[in-house]
Amino acid sequence: MSHWPLLSLITFLPLIGAAFIMLASGDEAVVARNARNIALSTSVIVFLLSVLLWIYFDPTTPAFQFVERHRWVTIGGVTISYHMGIDGISLFFVLLSTLLTVLSIGASWVSIHTQVREYMIAFLALESMMVGIFSSLDFVQFYIFFEGVLIPMFLIIGIWGHSNRVYAAFKFFLYTLLGSVLSLLAIITVYYQTGSTDIEVALAHQFPPDLQKWLWLAFFASFAVKVPMWPVHTWLPDAHVEAPTAGSVILAGVLLKLGGYGFIRFSLPLFPLASQYFTPLMFSLSAIAVIYTSLVALAQTNMKKLIAYSSVAHMGFVTMGIFAMTSEAVQGAMIQMLSHGFVSAALFLIVGVVYDRMHTYDISRYGGLVQRMPAYSFVFMVFMLASVGLPGTSGIVGEFLILLGTFRVSTLECFLAATALFLGAAYMLYLYRRVIFGTITRDDLRNMLDLTPREKAVFAPLIVLVFWMGIYPSSFIGPIAASADNIVKHVQAAQKAAAAAMLERDRLAGLPGSGTH
């Protein structure tokens, strides 16, 4: 498969599908039907192609695989390459993006009635951008995809969202764009330091310690908003509440992972000394995010807002694991992001099921659904328990590895994060009890229909993945381990070299006590 341009096919095939949808003709009903069919067919083909990446991936090497490289453009002596490739860090993010696109289109089959053609085009364009982000090995190319992903999501929220959709769409766009401008300045600085926009060249370069701090902060401004970290998380609840169900699925399942991916791909290996310097800051912000947003989730009366705040708490675990900078914690952060991609996507789909029937997210409007919707109640239970980290589900694997790896670095941080496990169980069990149990007191709930075959088909792969990762996590950790360990070793080696250089300077300067080293 190495001679196939597989990554290019996966990245740009959705745009070809979008072009076919644009060419569809006929009356509105025919165009809508053709748009749905073309979008679903295209996304399924793209997902199957992405599965080939996993099948042919070599888990024993941290090197980039399926590499494609061509000279793209030369401007004023600056050569920008079309450079694609994946390693264990990006493999599963590509698979997550292609899978959730299929499920999002399936979930939108009935609920989207207006401008269906434009909606499906937006989702296919979004898929291309997401895959492009995780496959890019050139900074300029990465930045184009990284910013390009904002446009279709802005349109999805702003056009097909709910009553306050325009405000939420602009808040999402402006928050994420502002941080990204600083990352562009950092990319320009990296080019002037290395003489290349190639990410592999930058990974092999040693940046001056003082410059590392400024570049780290510039990338931090972009990635922290994407995670999102406290206190720049306030755009997320608004975006989720106003977005259509499928928009929330992609937003929580994939776009929140862009920040964590950026920290692992760029912040740690490019700026290891700055990462070490800012670790106390990251630990503090992560602990606040985990505890504070869990408490805020407990106070919510809106189902979507509760799940949105739970996402901030779970991503706080991720940033904590990344900056613990141990093999277990970094691998755990990767697994936690994948698990959160499955579970949060499923939870937003679960909320979307009852919203399609009742058109409200208010928790108090529900109750006793187990009497009318047993299949729905079972699916909800599975993902609720996965969210709180029940052993045997995907939720426990990442959290355990993160806590294990963080304990070696900071016992206090580990303890603070562990307290949030109880809070997570509290707000998820609260939500489940209020919606599922009790007696039906409203007439409109007595006629609620259980999951349709289409809805069951959407949930089925996510249920399989949640139990697969929980019972057999090594099938996911295996491809990740080599790349994650390589990053950790690189960071530790840089930090040891810097410490040795400082001791040598102290010795030469004749400082007291230096002769013992």
Side-chain angles (χ1 to χ4, degrees):
M1 299 296 296
S2 59
H3 61 282
W4 276 36
L6 198 53
L7 286 176
S8 293
L9 279 173
I10 296 168
T11 303
F12 296 109
L13 194 57
L15 294 181
I16 296 173
F20 276 106
I21 294 175
M22 292 176 68
L23 296 174
S25 60
D27 60 33
E28 187 175 349
V30 171
V31 169
R33 185 180 70 246
N34 289 338
R36 291 187 182 101
N37 290 332
I38 293 172
L40 183 62
S41 302
T42 304
S43 61
V44 168
I45 292 170
V46 171
F47 171 67
L48 294 176
L49 287 173
S50 68
V51 172
L52 293 177
L53 295 175
W54 193 2
I55 293 172
Y56 290 99
F57 188 83
D58 181 2
T60 61
T61 174
F64 290 102
Q65 302 176 43
F66 305 97
V67 175
E68 303 170 32
R69 185 168 188 170
H70 309 283
R71 179 171 291 188
W72 182 18
V73 63
T74 302
I75 304 173
V78 180
T79 299
I80 301 170
S81 297
Y82 173 77
H83 192 185
M84 305 282 274
I86 60 169
D87 62 356
I89 302 298
S90 46
L91 167 66
F92 286 115
F93 287 131
V94 173
L95 284 160
L96 184 65
S97 302
T98 57
L99 172 63
L100 292 186
T101 302
V102 175
L103 301 183
S104 296
I105 291 171
S108 307
W109 205 259
V110 176
S111 59
I112 299 298
H113 312 285
T114 60
Q115 297 175 283
V116 177
R117 170 170 31 197
E118 291 79 5
Y119 181 86
M120 294 302 172
I121 289 171
F123 259 94
L124 291 177
L126 184 61
E127 181 177 26
S128 275
M129 298 299 168
M130 292 187 299
V131 175
I133 288 169
F134 299 124
S135 304
S136 293
L137 292 180
D138 184 276
F139 275 112
V140 175
Q141 181 184 326
F142 170 83
Y143 188 78
I144 291 171
F145 285 122
F146 194 72
E147 293 303 291
V149 81
L150 299 180
I151 299 171
M153 182 53 72
F154 173 78
L155 295 175
I156 288 167
I157 297 172
I159 296 175
W160 293 278
H162 304 306
S163 58
N164 206 21
R165 59 186 179 272
V166 174
Y167 165 78
F170 273 96
K171 190 174 183 180
F172 157 75
F173 191 87
L174 292 175
Y175 259 77
T176 51
L177 182 65
L178 181 62
S180 298
V181 171
L182 293 175
S183 68
L184 177 60
L185 295 176
I187 288 171
I188 293 170
T189 306
V190 168
Y191 165 74
Y192 277 106
Q193 283 285 312
T194 64
S196 173
T197 60
D198 193 282
I199 290 173
E200 287 188 290
V201 172
L203 291 173
H205 185 80
Q206 292 185 358
F207 293 90
D210 290 338
L211 181 62
Q212 282 192 31
K213 294 177 183 177
W214 290 107
L215 293 176
W216 189 97
L217 287 171
F219 276 115
F220 171 79
S222 179
F223 300 147
V225 175
K226 285 286 200 299
V227 168
M229 296 184 69
W230 182 89
V232 290
H233 67 286
T234 56
W235 62 269
L236 184 66
D238 291 325
H240 272 309
V241 168
E242 300 304 327
T245 298
S248 289
V249 168
I250 295 296
L251 187 59
V254 181
L255 298 193
L256 297 194
K257 311 304 176 289
L258 298 183
Y261 174 77
F263 283 134
I264 295 176
R265 171 66 73 225
F266 301 116
S267 298
L268 288 191
L270 289 179
F271 319 121
L273 303 182
S275 295
Q276 183 183 37
Y277 179 82
F278 287 110
T279 291
L281 170 67
M282 294 300 293
F283 275 0
S284 300
L285 294 179
S286 299
I288 293 171
V290 169
I291 296 171
Y292 168 74
T293 55
S294 295
L295 293 171
V296 174
L298 274 170
Q300 297 307 309
T301 59
N302 182 298
M303 286 194 285
K304 260 197 166 183
K305 272 197 173 181
L306 189 152
I307 298 170
Y309 279 111
S310 77
S311 293
V312 180
H314 281 101
M315 294 306 291
F317 264 97
V318 170
T319 51
M320 182 181 74
I322 292 170
F323 284 89
M325 289 182 278
T326 60
S327 293
E328 299 93 342
V330 173
Q331 291 176 31
M334 284 292 303
I335 294 296
Q336 177 76 346
M337 283 193 279
L338 290 176
S339 172
H340 181 263
F342 304 146
V343 175
S344 66
L347 289 172
F348 282 113
L349 287 170
I350 283 165
V351 173
V353 168
V354 290
Y355 181 83
D356 289 342
R357 291 154 171 77
M358 290 283 290
H359 303 289
T360 179
Y361 295 123
D362 191 349
I363 296 173
S364 63
R365 291 286 303 275
Y366 297 95
L369 291 188
V370 69
Q371 300 170 43
R372 294 291 307 160
M373 306 175 72
Y376 175 81
S377 301
F378 172 76
V379 171
F380 196 165
M381 180 189 70
V382 168
F383 292 109
M384 179 271 295
L385 293 174
S387 178
V388 303
L390 181 77
T393 65
S394 60
I396 188 65
V397 181
E399 289 179 354
F400 177 78
L401 286 172
I402 289 170
L403 292 174
L404 180 66
T406 306
F407 185 79
R408 293 169 51 189
V409 178
S410 171
T411 308
L412 175 62
E413 181 72 11
C414 183
F415 172 77
L416 291 174
T419 60
L421 299 179
F422 300 100
L423 295 172
Y427 60 69
M428 289 307 300
L429 289 169
Y430 159 78
L431 175 64
Y432 190 77
R433 181 184 66 82
R434 289 290 302 274
V435 173
I436 300 300
F437 295 129
T439 57
I440 296 179
T441 57
R442 303 177 61 91
D443 291 337
D444 49 4
L445 293 178
R446 298 183 195 279
N447 300 318
M448 292 279 279
L449 298 176
D450 206 354
L451 295 178
T452 65
R454 176 185 58 82
E455 289 167 339
K456 291 178 181 177
V458 169
F459 284 116
L462 293 174
I463 292 175
V464 170
L465 286 167
V466 161
F467 284 114
W468 181 2
M469 182 180 284
I471 296 169
Y472 186 42
S474 61
S475 57
F476 293 87
I477 295 174
I480 292 170
S483 297
D485 290 350
N486 183 59
I487 289 173
V488 171
K489 288 175 182 176
H490 173 78
V491 170
Q492 292 174 346
Q495 292 171 353
K496 287 179 181 178
M502 185 175 295
L503 288 173
E504 180 65 15
R505 284 200 304 270
D506 291 349
R507 188 186 67 80
L508 293 175
L511 292 179
S514 61
T516 60
H517 298 290

